[in-house]
């Protein structure tokens, strides 16, 4: 009471941290708890009938409870909560790895046997269900391949890249060098971001409608597919390029302009070469993003079993659509396995393309990056 | 004084005229018109969809698939799309935030880079791969789970009639959750890494444990980023086609989510488009238009939230 009169009441700090003290805990206590929990879970399932998934799930739950209790007892309740959250966060990471590993394992284990010289050099033209029956019943080698789909993927993606890179790059140049914070630049930036979220199938419907109105309804060809992919690709190219142009130091621009070099030459001779590695890796990532698109190509390009390298004329095939089509409509519905094998083989090729493009992007960004410092 | 007089005495030089070179004008014009072209493309997407969708809105309701008009055709699809996306968001968000925190605050510095790369790679895996994996690997695993749910929780309408094949909207949602994990993770990770170090150190200096530091400094700072990431993930889940088209065994609307049945707008389009003609084609394009409008709204909200965040982050 008397102290309250002398010193004003201490303001209550609301930093959300309890004042419960934390005591040190042994360093590897959690490891012992972890091993003990999984041992207990394994023992439990040994009595009930073994299941590896069950052991892991129950073991993890036991561990969560046990680690909270032990740490609370040893080092205080706050340390217990801390350890519980740490375990949940590590658990989330492991959980996310499961589908990734499972997907990659499935793709490689089923897809790899399908890939052969034939698979890479033949198409599916003229193949009948009988062929697959022979594969299953007499062990005949897998017939037909994905040549038409590989060519189609490369051609359509290349055209999409040719359309989107100039548009995307020039837009990025406008945003960084000219528009800056003008109202047009702001709205372009906003709508480019919104465009990133356009569902791929809507891009396909757009290309289909556009070509339907221009060339008669039902027109399906490679160019329509490339237009659909370009709609999906342009926003990525703009965003990546803008970021890269923005980090080019302003001193370089100013030095160039001060020497009387016109703006367009400053951009093409100074800014773009400086950012070249970043731009190239951004474009590579954008290609990786669209190369596996299925839905828009299914709508705008259609499906064919024959090799067609003329993007202006008639349907083509692409790896993703090829895989989807064989997976959904096997060549011989009675004997699905050969078709599934082809589908997984095509998907494996696609994943290899994507991983290579991603690695290439990293490589370009790292090796050709301008040397900084002096 | 004398200086001022000197200035007034000398004749004023005409302000230097900026030199206008033709090449400069052309270059600036090209850059500007590409930007405008992008806006036109977005308008074009809407315009062409509207033109091609019009017949479905004006047609006699008996001619639309199902025979009851466009509205009763589209609402079960909108329901399916919304339900699958929401389940996916609910499943993916906690895991994604966990991974983002793991990368930003728990993993050793040297590991953080490669882990980020692996997560980005997950984003680059084509959707058809996830669809095939979902049908061939995940769906058979889910069959027994659905049977168990039906036997134990079957009195709840959602868990009635568990499917044994696992080709249900819940399986599709789980795959969607895996597919949107990377986008939520990468947006959240970005904002977590931007947390002012001073805030973190202040919390630790007050004696906070690591989790308390995250709860009091990192999460409040990163909240708008998390919300933006969730909205972007939602936009992606709404538009995802192939995974749902492959996994789901589609059918009429039903509350039993662990049974086959239901469908989503993109899956419905992909499954019916190749054989469609005439008014059916217009109906599907109209469905696409509805999807476009929904995702546009979701994405605009998401971008608004994320961009508002960006303005604050300069102040650290």
């Amino acid at each position: 009471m008397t102290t309250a009169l002398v010193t004003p009441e201490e303001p209550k700090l609301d930093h959300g941290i309890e004042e419960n003290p934390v005591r040190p805990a042994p360093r590897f206590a959690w490891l012992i708890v972890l091993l003990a929990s999984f041992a207990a879970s394994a023992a439990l399932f040994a009595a009930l009938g073994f299941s590896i998934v069950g052991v892991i799930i129950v073991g993890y739950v036991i561990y969560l409870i046990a680690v909270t209790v032990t740490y609370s007892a040893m080092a205080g309740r706050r340390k217990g909560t801390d350890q519980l959250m740490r375990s949940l966060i590590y658990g989330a990471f492991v959980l996310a790895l499961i589908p990734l590993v499972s997907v990659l394992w499935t793709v490689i284990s089923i897809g790899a046997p399908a890939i052969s010289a034939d698979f890479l050099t033949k198409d599916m033209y003229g193949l009948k269900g009988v062929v697959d029956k022979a594969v299953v019943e007499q062990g005949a080698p897998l017939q037909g391949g994905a040549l038409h789909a590989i060519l189609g993927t490369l051609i359509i993606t290349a055209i999409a890249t040719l359309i989107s890179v100039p548009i995307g790059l020039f837009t990025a140049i406008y945003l960084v060098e000219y528009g800056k914070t003008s109202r047009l630049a702001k709205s372009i930036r906003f709508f480019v971001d919104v465009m990133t979220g356009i569902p791929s199938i809507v891009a396909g419907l757009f290309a289909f409608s556009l070509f339907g109105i221009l060339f008669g309804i039902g027109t399906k060809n490679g160019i329509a597919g490339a237009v659909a992919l370009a709609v999906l690709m342009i926003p990525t190219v703009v965003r990546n390029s803008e970021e890269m142009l923005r980090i080019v130091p302003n001193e370089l621009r100013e030095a160039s302009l001060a020497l009387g070099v016109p703006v367009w030459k400053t951009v093409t001779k100074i800014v773009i070469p400086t950012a070249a590695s970043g731009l190239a890796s951004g474009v590579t990532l954008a290609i990786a993003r669209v190369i596996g698109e299925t839905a828009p190509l299914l709508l705008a390009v259609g499906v064919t079993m024959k090799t067609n390298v003329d993007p202006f004329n008639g349907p083509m095939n692409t790896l993703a659509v090829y895989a989807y089509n064989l997976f959904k409509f096997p060549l011989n519905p009675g004997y699905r396995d050969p078709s599934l094998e082809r589908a997984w083989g095509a998907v494996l090729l696609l994943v290899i393309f994507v991983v290579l493009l991603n690695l290439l992007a990293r490589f370009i960004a790292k090796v050709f990056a301008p040397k900084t410092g002096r | 004084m004398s200086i001022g007089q000197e200035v007034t005495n000398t004749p004023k030089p005409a302000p230097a005229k900026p030199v206008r070179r033709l090449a400069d004008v052309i270059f600036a014009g090209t850059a500007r018109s590409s930007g405008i072209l992008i806006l036109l493309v977005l308008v074009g997407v809407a315009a062409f969809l509207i033109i091609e969708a019009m017949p479905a809105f004006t047609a006699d309701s008996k001619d639309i698939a199902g025979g009851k008009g466009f509205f009763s055709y589209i609402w079960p699809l909108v329901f399916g799309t919304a339900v699958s996306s929401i389940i996916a968001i609910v499943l993916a968000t906690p895991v994604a935030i966990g991974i983002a925190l793991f990368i930003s605050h728990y993993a050793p510095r040297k590991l953080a880079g490669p882990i980020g790369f692996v997560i980005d790679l997950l984003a680059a895996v084509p959707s058809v791969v996830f669809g095939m994996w979902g049908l061939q690997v995940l769906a058979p695993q889910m069959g027994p789970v659905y049977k168990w749910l039906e036997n134990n929780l079957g009195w709840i309408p959602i868990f009635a009639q568990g499917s044994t094949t696992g080709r249900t909207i819940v399986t599709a949602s789980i795959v969607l959750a895996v597919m949107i994990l990377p986008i939520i993770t990468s947006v959240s990770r970005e904002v977590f890494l931007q947390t002012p170090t001073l805030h973190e150190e202040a919390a630790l200096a007050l004696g906070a444990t690591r989790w308390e530091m995250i709860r009091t400094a990192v999460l409040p700072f990163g909240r708008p980023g998390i919300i933006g990431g969730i909205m972007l993930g939602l936009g992606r889940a709404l538009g995802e086609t192939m995974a749902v088209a492959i996994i789901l065994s589609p059918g009429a609307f039903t509350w039993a989510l662990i049974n086959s049945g239901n469908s989503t707008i993109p899956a419905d389009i992909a499954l019916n488009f190749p054989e469609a003609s005439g008014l059916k084609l217009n109906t599907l394009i109209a469905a696409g238009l509805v999807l476009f409008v929904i995702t546009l709204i979701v994405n605009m909200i998401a971008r608004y939230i994320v961009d508002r965040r960006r303005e604050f982050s300069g102040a650290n």
Side-chain angles (χ1 to χ4, degrees):
Chain A
M1 272 298 155
T2 47
T3 50
L5 290 172
V6 180
T7 53
E9 205 176 322
E10 202 171 297
K12 186 136 174 53
L13 287 176
D14 186 20
H15 44 60
I17 296 168
E18 297 164 48
E19 292 174 24
N20 214 337
V22 169
R23 296 185 298 276
R27 268 193 87 181
F28 290 104
W30 62 270
L31 190 63
I32 299 164
V33 178
L34 183 74
L35 294 175
S37 309
F38 278 95
S41 165
L44 189 72
F45 272 87
L48 290 170
F50 196 73
S51 142
I52 189 112
V53 182
V55 171
I56 291 171
I57 294 174
V58 173
Y60 182 61
V61 173
I62 295 178
Y63 169 70
L64 286 182
I65 299 168
V67 87
T68 316
V69 172
T70 3
Y71 272 79
S72 299
M74 281 190 307
R77 197 172 53 75
R78 289 172 48 205
K79 198 72 194 170
T81 318
D82 184 50
Q83 204 62 31
L84 171 69
M85 293 317 293
R86 173 188 293 262
S87 312
L88 283 173
I89 286 168
Y90 276 73
F93 174 65
V94 174
L95 181 66
L97 285 183
I98 295 171
L100 183 68
V101 172
S102 172
V103 166
L104 287 182
W105 170 248
T106 319
V107 170
I108 293 169
S109 67
I110 311 182
I115 299 201
S116 61
D118 263 12
F119 191 74
L120 299 175
T121 52
K122 286 191 175 151
D123 60 16
M124 297 286 289
Y125 188 55
L127 282 190
K128 297 260 158 44
V130 199
V131 174
D132 281 2
K133 194 177 168 192
V135 173
V136 174
E137 290 186 343
Q138 293 143 26
L142 201 63
Q143 296 241 359
L147 176 69
H148 55 317
I150 297 171
L151 292 176
T153 302
L154 295 179
I155 293 170
I156 293 177
T157 315
I159 299 173
T161 312
L162 286 182
I163 300 174
S164 31
V165 168
I167 298 179
L169 193 55
F170 268 114
T171 306
I173 290 172
Y174 171 73
L175 292 176
V176 176
E177 309 291 337
Y178 295 100
K180 287 168 187 160
T181 53
S182 71
R183 195 189 286 176
L184 178 65
K186 270 188 180 162
S187 55
I188 290 175
R189 226 169 260 138
F190 180 77
F191 282 106
V192 162
D193 277 344
V194 169
M195 252 176 109
T196 345
I198 290 185
S200 59
I201 194 154
V202 171
L205 286 174
F206 161 67
F208 178 85
S209 308
L210 176 70
F211 278 70
I213 288 169
L214 294 181
F215 306 109
I217 198 89
T219 306
K220 294 185 178 185
N221 57 30
I223 293 290
V227 167
L229 291 190
V231 170
L232 298 170
M233 206 172 153
I234 288 172
T236 328
V237 176
V238 176
R239 266 336 222 164
N240 290 344
S241 313
E242 195 198 342
E243 221 130 275
M244 289 304 141
L245 294 179
R246 195 173 291 270
I247 57 176
V248 173
N250 250 338
E251 287 87 341
L252 291 182
R253 294 190 182 88
E254 283 158 6
S256 166
L257 293 174
L259 290 173
V261 179
V263 180
W264 73 275
K265 258 194 179 155
T266 305
V267 173
T268 50
K269 299 271 158 137
I270 307 288
V271 177
I272 291 183
T274 312
S277 68
L279 295 175
S281 88
V283 169
T284 318
L285 285 178
I287 297 173
R289 177 119 319 160
V290 297
I291 200 168
E293 280 297 345
T294 320
L297 300 179
L298 187 67
L299 306 194
V301 187
V303 189
T304 176
M305 290 295 160
K306 210 160 87 175
T307 307
N308 173 16
V309 290
D310 180 6
F312 293 94
N313 207 348
M316 298 171 79
N317 211 337
T318 52
L319 281 169
V321 175
Y322 172 88
Y324 166 74
N325 217 44
L326 278 175
F327 196 79
K328 195 96 189 167
F329 312 101
L331 204 56
N332 185 340
Y335 300 86
R336 299 182 67 220
D337 282 351
S339 289
L340 293 190
E341 206 179 316
R342 287 189 196 102
W344 283 105
V347 155
L348 176 61
L349 289 180
L350 203 52
V351 170
I352 291 174
F353 276 148
V354 170
V355 173
L356 284 182
L357 284 169
N358 269 286
L359 290 175
L360 181 69
R362 288 212 130 191
F363 178 77
I364 296 172
K366 209 170 231 171
V367 174
F368 297 102
K371 306 283 174 287
T372 49
R374 39 201 86 164
Chain B
M1 256 332 224
S2 60
I3 300 169
Q5 269 165 352
E6 244 172 86
V7 171
T8 44
N9 288 346
T10 45
K12 246 186 191 170
K17 256 194 193 158
V19 189
R20 290 185 70 85
R21 296 184 187 81
L22 183 65
D24 254 349
V25 176
I26 294 174
F27 192 76
T30 319
R32 195 186 164 87
S33 40
S34 327
I36 296 171
L37 181 67
I38 290 184
L39 294 183
L40 288 181
V41 167
L42 196 63
V43 174
V45 170
F48 282 106
L49 288 183
I50 291 171
I51 295 173
E52 286 292 303
M54 230 35 206
F57 295 126
T58 54
D60 194 33
S61 61
K62 279 194 229 83
D63 299 333
I64 303 286
K68 291 201 195 87
F70 183 71
F71 181 72
S72 57
Y73 170 79
I74 198 76
W75 80 258
L77 297 177
V78 172
F79 174 83
T81 312
V83 164
S84 59
S85 307
I86 289 169
I87 297 176
I89 286 289
V90 170
L91 292 176
T93 305
V95 180
I97 295 175
I99 303 170
L101 284 175
F102 180 79
I103 297 172
S104 66
H105 286 85
Y106 282 89
R109 278 283 152 78
K110 277 189 182 158
L111 270 181
I115 294 171
F117 178 66
V118 168
I119 298 290
D120 289 343
L121 208 58
L122 195 62
V125 173
S127 58
V128 66
V129 182
F130 280 110
M132 289 164 62
W133 173 78
L135 181 57
Q136 202 161 336
V137 179
L138 185 65
Q141 304 286 328
M142 296 305 291
V145 178
Y146 294 143
K147 267 289 156 240
W148 184 87
L149 282 174
E150 183 195 343
N151 292 337
N152 294 282
L153 295 166
W155 48 273
I156 306 172
I158 293 175
F159 296 127
Q161 302 162 308
S163 154
T164 44
T165 58
R167 298 186 62 183
T168 71
I169 199 147
V170 173
T171 310
S173 308
I174 295 173
V175 175
L176 286 183
V178 175
M179 297 176 68
I180 61 175
L181 207 56
I183 178 109
I184 307 182
T185 304
S186 66
V187 176
S188 314
R189 182 188 58 189
E190 286 301 304
V191 280
F192 291 162
L193 286 173
Q194 280 174 15
T195 313
T197 321
L198 282 177
H199 292 193
E200 295 175 3
E201 284 169 355
L204 292 174
L206 285 171
T209 60
R210 190 178 307 205
W211 166 246
E212 283 164 346
M213 181 268 281
I214 289 172
R215 187 167 54 87
T216 54
V218 179
L219 289 184
F221 183 85
R223 191 174 300 133
I226 299 174
I227 296 171
I230 291 174
M231 297 295 283
L232 288 182
L234 182 62
R236 194 152 294 183
L238 288 169
E240 178 43 48
T241 312
M242 296 329 285
V244 184
I246 293 176
I247 295 166
L248 185 63
S249 161
F253 164 74
T254 164
W255 275 111
L257 299 182
I258 57 166
N259 196 359
S260 53
N262 288 325
S263 192
T264 69
I265 296 178
D268 185 70
I269 299 172
L271 290 174
N272 294 313
F273 203 88
E275 277 87 44
S277 61
L279 191 61
K280 178 72 185 165
L281 214 50
N282 300 121
T283 315
L284 291 175
I285 293 176
L289 182 65
V290 172
L291 179 69
F292 178 61
V293 171
I294 295 174
T295 49
L296 208 60
I297 294 170
V298 169
N299 276 303
M300 280 164 93
I301 298 173
R303 284 301 165 188
Y304 177 72
I305 296 172
V306 175
D307 287 350
R308 205 174 44 170
R309 169 93 214 63
R310 203 172 286 156
E311 281 162 27
F312 291 127
S313 64
N316 311 315

